[in-house]
Amino acid sequence: MGSELDRGQRQEPGRAPEPIRSLELELELELELEPEPVGETSPHPVPDAAAYLLGRWGIERTVCDLRTGTEGSFRGTAEFRPDPAGEGLLHVEEGQLRWGAEVYPASRTLRLRPRPAGTAEIGFADGRPFHDLDLRTGRWRAVHPCAEDRYEGTFTVTGADTWHLEWRVGGPAKEQLLRSAYRRLR
């Protein structure tokens, strides 16, 4: 699995295209996120992950390369909408990745397939499995092996309209920490 850091480095450096600048202005007007440290907020139980996530969310993300100490950030939106390819939802993230002095457009698409009892299976856009998701207690830990690297994620629902996600990535190719705060957009 590639991270935003990987995708950003493959993009041509330079100014972001016009739609990205518009997105940034829109988010400045709609979004005032201050990421809380993951794990320091009481979890908010969610009986149905797909029903909870359906809609549009603002994202603030910090990205840290633990080997070099280099830090970046991602600011954008996530939309969970019906998947035209079948049952479930598409999870589409779009925004800007700031890495050093450069700004890159960044995006990803995942698929969320609801399961009985309110849980879900998360997959990549091409159909490969990523991880399970169970927010019934308000907190979930997921693990995804990616070649020789290991992704460990912690999802914490902090309220009816806010949730946090932390991914720790370790292995021979990467040592990263990604912390994200999501807030529902109206």
Side-chain angles (χ1 to χ4, degrees):
M1 172 187 141
S3 67
E4 278 123 357
L5 177 58
D6 296 331
R7 283 188 293 285
Q9 288 178 330
R10 289 185 198 125
Q11 300 288 329
E12 289 295 321
R15 294 175 49 166
E18 194 65 36
I20 299 296
R21 282 194 296 265
S22 298
L23 174 65
E24 184 172 12
L25 177 61
E26 177 185 342
L27 285 171
E28 286 176 15
L29 297 174
E30 287 189 49
L31 186 63
E32 293 180 17
L33 284 180
E34 301 234 354
E36 299 171 29
V38 174
E40 292 188 17
T41 304
S42 296
H44 176 83
V46 171
D48 183 336
Y52 174 77
L53 293 169
L54 183 65
R56 194 163 173 257
W57 300 80
I59 309 167
E60 292 280 342
R61 179 174 296 139
T62 59
V63 182
C64 183
D65 183 321
L66 300 173
R67 290 187 177 144
T68 66
T70 306
E71 292 188 10
S73 64
F74 173 84
R75 184 179 178 121
T77 60
E79 185 174 2
F80 291 82
R81 61 181 180 240
D83 185 347
E87 293 183 29
L89 303 174
L90 280 182
H91 169 185
V92 179
E93 290 190 4
E94 299 176 319
Q96 287 184 322
L97 173 66
R98 294 183 186 278
W99 193 252
E102 301 296 328
V103 178
Y104 307 97
S107 65
R108 74 173 177 174
T109 300
L110 299 171
R111 287 195 152 85
L112 183 147
R113 302 275 186 243
R115 288 185 173 158
T119 66
E121 175 187 339
I122 309 300
F124 294 105
D126 64 7
R128 290 176 298 127
F130 186 14
H131 62 82
D132 291 332
L133 183 63
D134 181 350
L135 299 176
R136 293 176 294 181
T137 66
R139 186 164 297 174
W140 181 252
R141 294 191 190 279
V143 175
H144 173 73
C146 182
E148 294 182 30
D149 293 332
R150 179 181 169 94
Y151 285 69
E152 296 181 11
T154 303
F155 296 75
T156 305
V157 179
T158 56
D161 297 316
T162 56
W163 58 285
H164 297 260
L165 172 57
E166 178 178 287
W167 283 106
R168 291 184 178 270
V169 185
K174 299 177 199 160
E175 290 290 335
Q176 296 176 347
L177 176 62
L178 296 87
R179 287 188 171 143
S180 304
Y182 293 76
R183 179 159 304 176
R184 190 179 306 277
L185 298 175
R186 305 263 176 223

